[in-house]
């Protein structure tokens, strides 16, 4: 489910955060209105979605059974689970669910609309207000809310963001740019340059979070590619999609990290999702240059 949410979100401009981050960087370089279209990522994104479905069905499912065992045959439904599965719910519970649904809609409205007019209401503030409303309305008790927080997950995500900040503030971005300019030159085939940018982005996104990988690699591409005579647009598409292939470590993507509450180990993600990362990366490398010529 987490992999489907992450890889499915890369098919449109607003599907996930990296596309919007890259859109801002691209428009700041090319000018407003010269960024991505809504469906710029749709063709390679659709191919990756289909590859994901086939991978999960024919490779991932048997692989998962070897990694975690046949949980379906050993896990019994509790009485509460049976009641829920049969569609029986106490009227009081239905009222609570209705309140939660309304609060969730208000949270989405705050994140998508109010934030545009009141910059102080960023995503974190809106999320905290929504969570507080759940407690004040009685949907969940304060103690239960604290117990439900996965503190290991919070610490891992905070650490990854701190690492990203350290890379930028310590000059790591300039170092990576120097490596690119030192290795690549006018005689380097454009396909090799494109492959290098996408591969580095895929690698970084699994340790620095996907949006951070975009903010590190894309400005480098925007600064050196025009002097080499290449169009920045296909490289921007490839780098953005490469940053979205963030499924092989739990620190790569918040959605993937949320799945750790099910009891997965860090190594489970690269064991299960590693082959799909390679497949998805190959799709980006092979398809994007066909859709958007580099010269």
């Amino acid at each position: 489910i987490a992999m489907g949410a992450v890889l499915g979100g890369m098919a449109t401009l607003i599907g996930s955060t990296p596309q919007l981050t890259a859109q801002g960087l691209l428009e700041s370089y090319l000018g407003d209105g010269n960024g991505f279209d809504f469906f710029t990522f749709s063709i390679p994104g659709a191919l990756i979605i289909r590859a994901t479905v086939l991978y999960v069905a024919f490779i991932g499912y048997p692989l998962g059974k070897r990694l975690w065992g046949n949980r379906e045959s050993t896990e019994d439904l509790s009485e509460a689970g049976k009641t829920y599965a049969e569609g029986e719910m106490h009227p009081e519970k239905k009222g609570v669910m209705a309140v939660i649904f309304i609060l969730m809609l208000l949270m989405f409205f705050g994140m998508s609309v109010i934030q545009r007019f009141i910059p102080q209401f960023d995503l974190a503030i809106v999320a905290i207000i929504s969570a507080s409303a759940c407690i004040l309305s009685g949907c969940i008790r304060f103690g239960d809310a604290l117990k439900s927080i996965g503190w290991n997950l919070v610490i891992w995500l905070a650490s990854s963001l701190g690492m990203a900040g350290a890379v930028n503030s310590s000059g790591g971005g300039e170092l990576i740019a120097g490596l690119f300019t030192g290795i690549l030159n006018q005689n380097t085939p454009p396909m090799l340059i494109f492959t290098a940018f996408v591969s580095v982005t895929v690698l970084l996104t699994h340790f620095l979070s996907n949006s951070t990988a975009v903010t590190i690699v894309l400005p480098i591409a925007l600064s050196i590619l025009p002097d080499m005579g290449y169009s920045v647009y296909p490289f921007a598409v490839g780098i953005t999609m490469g940053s979205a292939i963030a499924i092989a470590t739990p620190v790569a993507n918040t959605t993937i990290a949320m799945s750790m509450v099910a009891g997965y180990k860090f190594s489970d993600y690269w064991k299960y999702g590693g082959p799909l990362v390679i497949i998805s990366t190959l799709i980006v490398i092979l398809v994007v240059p066909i859709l958007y010529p580099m010269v």
Side-chain angles (χ1 to χ4, degrees):
I1 292 173
M3 287 167 48
V6 173
L7 297 179
M10 67 193 303
T12 63
L13 178 61
I14 63 172
S16 59
T17 308
Q19 291 95 291
L20 298 175
T21 302
Q23 176 81 334
L25 293 171
L26 193 60
E27 287 190 342
S28 66
Y29 178 80
L30 299 178
D32 293 339
N34 294 314
F36 303 122
D37 295 328
F38 188 87
F39 296 108
T40 295
F41 310 96
S42 294
I43 294 179
L47 293 175
I48 290 176
I49 292 172
R50 293 183 180 183
T52 301
V53 174
L54 293 175
Y55 174 84
V56 171
F58 298 103
I59 300 177
Y61 183 71
L63 177 61
K65 293 183 71 173
R66 287 199 297 270
L67 289 174
W68 307 302
N70 192 351
R71 292 183 178 178
E72 290 183 352
S73 62
T74 58
E75 184 175 339
D76 295 327
L77 285 172
S78 63
E79 291 300 322
K82 290 180 180 178
T83 300
Y84 179 79
E86 293 168 359
E88 299 175 5
M89 185 178 292
H90 194 276
E92 181 180 348
K93 296 293 184 181
K94 293 181 179 179
V96 172
M97 290 300 298
V99 173
I100 293 175
F101 182 73
I102 293 173
L103 292 174
M104 182 178 65
L105 291 179
L106 291 175
M107 181 182 69
F108 291 154
F109 178 77
M111 290 180 172
S112 59
V113 179
I114 296 178
Q115 184 187 7
R116 296 184 179 181
F117 301 99
I118 309 178
Q120 292 80 5
F121 280 78
D122 58 15
L123 297 182
I125 297 299
V126 174
I128 291 174
I129 292 175
S130 302
S132 301
C134 287
I135 296 174
L136 294 175
S137 63
C139 295
I140 186 173
R141 294 182 298 179
F142 180 73
D144 293 334
L146 286 179
K147 293 178 182 178
S148 66
I149 297 176
W151 292 109
N152 287 337
L153 172 59
V154 173
I155 293 172
W156 280 334
L157 290 176
S159 300
S160 67
L161 292 175
M163 185 182 298
V167 169
N168 287 323
S169 62
S170 63
E174 290 80 0
L175 178 62
I176 296 174
L179 292 175
F180 269 107
T181 55
I183 296 174
L184 307 177
N185 54 57
Q186 298 287 349
N187 297 322
T188 304
M191 192 65 185
L192 182 59
I193 299 175
F194 181 79
T195 300
F197 271 109
V198 173
S199 300
V200 169
T201 305
V202 172
L203 178 63
L204 288 178
T205 194
H206 282 93
F207 299 97
L208 298 178
S209 82
N210 45 16
S211 294
T212 305
V214 170
T215 60
I216 291 176
V217 181
L218 184 54
I220 297 173
L222 295 177
S223 63
I224 68 174
L225 289 174
D227 294 336
M228 302 177 70
Y230 299 126
S231 170
V232 299
Y233 196 82
F235 287 87
V237 174
I239 291 170
T240 304
M241 299 198 72
S243 70
I245 306 174
I247 59 174
T249 66
V251 299
N253 187 287
T254 306
T255 304
I256 295 294
M258 291 172 62
S259 68
M260 292 199 76
V261 298
Y264 297 115
K265 299 178 181 178
F266 193 96
S267 60
D268 288 339
Y269 291 89
W270 62 263
K271 289 179 181 177
Y272 186 87
L276 184 56
V277 169
I278 297 174
I279 295 172
S280 301
T281 302
L282 289 175
I283 291 175
V284 172
I285 291 174
L286 296 175
V287 174
V288 171
I290 297 176
L291 298 174
Y292 308 105
M294 290 181 283
V295 181

